[in-house]
Amino acid sequence: MEYNEFRDVLKNYLSDCLAREGLDDSYECVFDVGNKINCPDQEYLIIKDKENAFDIAARLPVEELYKRYQDGDTLENIATACIASRVQANLMMDEYGETLKLLDPDYIKENAFIQVISAATNQDMLRSIPFQKVEGFDDLAVIARVDLSESFNAEPGTRTSCVIHNKMFDSLGISKNKLFEIAKHNSEINEPLSITTMAETMKQIMIDDGMPEEVANSMVESIQSGPDMFVMTNPKKMDGASVIAYEGFKKQLADRVGEDCYILPSSIHECLAIKVSDVEDEEYVLDMVSSINSTQVAPKDRLSNNIYKLNVATLNIQTVSADMSRGYDRDR
């Protein structure tokens, strides 16, 4: 069975299951594309609650369901798993419905935070949610999310959240600028900017893993080669690239680095900086960022293949793309 036939057969099978149980007036099977960060073309199957505008039903990637079928799983088992996801969503709404308060403007405002994502990769998604461009970072956008970790009893070191889409935004009764003022303030207070050198970051990781400080110092010195980089993120190291949109970010980075520098988009969780004087070839840095993104960063975490140049005297930031870098040919 080919992919297109599989998706139609699965949808019809699930629709028949709902009808047999007398649930077809309450639920429907629909397909949707994108609407998840960095996944603009991925298709999802949703068993949707027709009566709940803020349904939290799982978005099931159709390609993954199809792969299960190709690997020998039965249509009945796959459909059962889909229905189980709907049941789980209902249980979660029953358990957390009182505390979620996704329609409560005060709850949303208190728990809003910002996330920086690729504007180029997520063009379709940005049409249905409030966003702002990041000053100086031409291909990046700031979106707002609401933190649901407390409501969902998220495990330590993890976060449960959802994007603030247009319907939620409309319920707030505030301007877009006010929404991002609130979300940025919450992020800056709860997840302040952290700028450390790569050596300091590596040392702290070793110490956190139980290594004595003097041993960690020795290890870092022995493995460090070449110019040091600076790591910009937040204490949680989740959605840490958002710090580039913080008030005063450019001044703090300029003060720490002390001279003009390039900002490298490591992932949505952190950015790196390296002094311009330590870079012999701008094209090489662009190549390095692109290569790391394609081989070491999960697609859902990728930010950009461009780099950004900070002028510490003017605090202006310029986006440097492969096309702009001294006639550099990205297909070379």
Side-chain angles (χ1 to χ4, degrees), residues 196-199 224 227-231 264 272-275 288:
T196 58
T197 66
M198 186 68 76
Q224 188 174 7
D228 204 0
M229 287 188 174
F230 297 82
V231 181
L264 284 55
L272 305 176
I274 185 170
K275 295 177 180 179
M288 179 183 70

Side-chain angles (χ1 to χ4, degrees), residues 43-227:
E43 187 174 37
Y44 300 91
L45 171 69
I46 309 166
I47 304 179
K48 183 179 180 181
D49 186 337
K50 296 179 180 180
E51 300 175 358
N52 188 350
F54 292 91
D55 187 20
I56 61 171
R59 300 169 62 83
L60 306 168
V62 181
E63 286 186 4
E64 293 183 12
L65 299 177
Y66 182 54
K67 186 176 186 307
R68 285 181 57 174
Y69 177 79
Q70 288 182 308
D71 290 342
D73 207 350
T74 66
L75 187 67
E76 181 179 7
N77 284 343
I78 295 171
T80 299
C82 295
I83 293 171
S85 73
R86 176 68 258 177
V87 173
Q88 180 65 24
N90 289 348
L91 291 174
M92 292 175 72
M93 288 300 294
D94 289 343
E95 183 174 357
Y96 300 115
E98 290 300 314
T99 55
L100 270 176
K101 300 180 181 177
L102 285 180
L103 290 174
D104 182 348
D106 291 334
Y107 181 90
I108 297 174
K109 292 173 187 176
E110 290 170 6
N111 293 278
F113 66 96
I114 62 169
Q115 181 184 37
V116 169
I117 64 173
S118 166
T121 304
N122 297 286
Q123 292 181 49
D124 290 340
M125 182 181 187
L126 293 178
R127 293 190 182 99
S128 62
I129 63 174
F131 74 94
Q132 291 181 336
K133 284 297 189 74
V134 188
E135 183 181 358
F137 298 82
D138 298 337
D139 62 330
L140 304 183
V142 182
I143 65 172
R145 304 183 72 99
V146 57
D147 191 342
L148 305 173
S149 300
E150 184 176 350
S151 296
F152 281 100
N153 296 321
E155 294 292 328
T158 66
R159 172 154 61 190
T160 300
S161 67
C162 70
V163 174
I164 296 180
H165 51 69
N166 285 339
K167 288 183 179 179
M168 292 173 66
F169 169 64
D170 291 342
S171 74
L172 300 179
I174 58 176
S175 68
K176 184 176 75 170
N177 286 341
K178 186 63 176 179
L179 167 63
F180 283 100
E181 178 185 324
I182 292 170
K184 286 180 182 179
H185 175 76
N186 290 346
S187 291
E188 290 169 0
I189 295 298
N190 298 323
E191 301 173 353
L193 167 64
S194 167
I195 305 176
T196 58
T197 66
M198 186 68 76
E200 291 167 344
T201 301
M202 292 170 60
K203 173 184 170 182
Q204 191 59 52
I205 291 173
M206 293 176 185
I207 292 174
D208 290 343
D209 287 342
M211 183 179 292
E213 183 173 353
E214 60 274 14
V215 178
N217 282 330
S218 180
M219 286 285 292
V220 170
E221 290 176 4
S222 67
I223 62 178
Q224 188 174 7
S225 63

Side-chain angles (χ1 to χ4, degrees), residues 5-40:
E5 182 182 1
F6 168 81
R7 68 190 290 280
D8 293 338
V9 168
L10 178 60
K11 179 182 177 181
N12 292 336
Y13 188 98
L14 287 167
S15 297
D16 290 343
C17 291
L18 293 173
R20 285 197 302 270
E21 297 297 327
L23 298 172
D24 48 327
D25 287 337
S26 301
Y27 300 99
E28 62 178 337
C29 294
V30 299
F31 292 111
D32 193 13
V33 176
N35 206 29
K36 282 200 173 184
I37 304 299
N38 289 349
C39 299

